[in-house]
Amino acid sequence: MGKLEGKVAVVSGAARGQGRSHAATLAREGADVVIFDLCDTLSTALTPGATESDLRETAAIVESYDRRCLAATVDARDLAGLQAFADQAMTEFGRIDLLAVNHGMWTVAANSWELDEAAWQESLDVLLTGAWKVTKAFIPKILQGGRGGSIVLTSSINGLRPQPSGVAYSASKAGVLNLMKVLAWELGEFDVRVNAVCPGGVDTQMVTGGGTLEKALSLRGDYHNTVRNRLKIELMPPQAISDAVLWLLSSDARYVTGVELPVDAGWLTF
Ligand SMILES: NC(=O)c1ccc[n+]([C@@H]2O[C@H](COP(=O)([O-])OP(=O)(O)OC[C@H]3O[C@@H](n4cnc5c(N)ncnc54)[C@H](O)[C@@H]3O)[C@@H](O)[C@H]2O)c1
């Protein structure tokens, strides 16, 4: 029997990358899964966005585990769209227990004062305000069940240690950690746990797609060439993060709340 049998889980940014891996892992463990993604390219992200065909592929992977999947194109910045989708998920499944707020983007500029205003604003809107809006839309549905629940927000090692050249990303991901802490306190009395996972470098389009890493290196090689994992791996597979998300969402972590968990191959050891 899977660890999440009978549960319904929501994953944002699930068309590809870590989100797809999370959806597949939660389905493998017995959850029905509600997934959404922007399925479009953001104007200031370094990497082209996921597509509707990517999202359909994630849904097919969930269904290959004999689990039900509700999938839609929804923008994490669109509160009304999120709330309508949360209503639809309740109509479809009758409950929501678990939430993984995973969607994201990355942008860089050599120095903070050289970043375009549009890039700053889009990053904050997607990464921080978007994370809050997803929790605002889905937490009432978790509470409606009265059975408790578990939420994981994806921050980054850059939420704990900022990245030179990545000011909007670092500021947003640090904000996500405080969003998590506030929610963990507020939701404790309802037996809803809230934690954050802080990945190091993961092998997804965000890093490897569209010459992203090359751009970061060309702008700030003096920083990006110096950071190293302590363990012998350059970029971790998405499954490494999904395993941590599964642990935090499952009852294996039933007394863990308010935690910032690095999964970083030892990046933060020095
Ligand atoms: N890849 C890494 O090295 C790394 C490291 C630390 C943290 N992270 C974080 O992990 C999370 C997952 O990223 P990934 O590595 O899978 O990258 P990815 O680019 O493959 O996936 C991000 C997904 O989020 C979606 N998305 C973007 N904006 C959205 C919006 N407004 N609404 C809905 N969906 C939206 C994208 O379409 C894409 O499918 C992100 O929060 C990211 O910041 C990534």
Side-chain angles (χ1 to χ4, degrees):
M1 180 161 156
K3 289 178 187 293
L4 305 177
E5 220 68 54
K7 308 279 189 198
V8 176
V10 179
V11 184
S12 76
R16 70 181 187 200
Q18 295 176 55
R20 172 180 287 174
S21 174
H22 297 350
T25 302
L26 303 180
R28 186 198 75 200
E29 292 299 323
D32 290 324
V33 190
V34 176
I35 59 173
F36 65 93
D37 199 287
L38 176 66
C39 298
D40 200 357
T41 293
L42 291 155
S43 55
T44 65
L46 292 173
T47 312
T51 63
E52 292 195 341
S53 133
D54 291 329
L55 188 65
R56 280 196 297 276
E57 202 174 319
T58 302
I61 294 170
V62 168
E63 284 160 3
S64 75
Y65 287 102
D66 236 2
R67 301 322 310 167
R68 289 193 296 158
C69 187
L70 177 69
T73 297
V74 185
D75 187 339
R77 296 167 294 180
D78 171 14
L79 182 59
L82 290 165
Q83 286 170 328
F85 187 51
D87 287 343
Q88 193 190 344
M90 286 300 278
T91 305
E92 201 84 19
F93 294 113
R95 63 188 287 165
I96 291 171
D97 307 278
L98 311 170
L99 172 62
V101 185
N102 157 84
H103 68 273
M105 60 169 287
W106 188 31
T107 193
V108 292
N111 295 300
S112 302
W113 60 91
E114 289 158 351
L115 184 70
D116 290 342
E117 185 181 0
W120 168 269
Q121 197 57 57
E122 190 169 61
S123 292
L124 271 285
D125 288 348
V126 170
L127 294 167
L128 181 54
T129 311
W132 171 74
K133 286 183 179 177
V134 173
T135 61
K136 180 171 171 63
F138 285 96
I139 283 171
K141 308 301 186 195
I142 296 176
L143 292 178
Q144 210 173 305
R147 289 177 290 262
S150 182
I151 298 171
V152 175
L153 297 155
T154 298
S155 175
S156 164
I157 48 169
N158 297 136
L160 297 163
R161 181 181 297 172
Q163 175 194 110
S165 82
V167 67
Y169 188 80
S170 302
S172 300
K173 291 299 193 181
V176 165
L177 293 177
N178 269 350
L179 169 63
M180 177 278 290
K181 291 259 181 197
V182 171
L183 287 173
W185 193 92
E186 292 169 346
L187 288 169
E189 70 180 289
F190 304 104
D191 202 23
V192 176
R193 298 181 296 101
V194 191
N195 293 286
V197 67
C198 300
V202 185
D203 188 0
T204 66
Q205 292 285 305
M206 185 173 290
V207 178
T208 59
T212 308
L213 201 51
E214 292 74 13
K215 175 148 193 221
L217 279 165
S218 73
L219 285 173
R220 263 276 169 243
D222 52 349
Y223 165 72
H224 287 284
N225 275 320
T226 61
V227 290
R228 288 281 177 277
N229 289 340
R230 187 62 186 144
L231 299 179
K232 290 183 193 302
I233 186 161
E234 208 155 308
L235 289 173
M236 295 173 286
Q239 188 64 50
I241 314 306
S242 301
D243 291 343
V245 169
L246 169 63
W247 179 69
L248 289 168
L249 289 179
S250 79
S251 63
D252 287 349
R254 59 191 165 282
Y255 300 122
V256 179
T257 195
V259 160
E260 302 159 346
L261 178 64
V263 181
D264 66 346
W267 186 308
L268 295 175
T269 53
F270 65 99

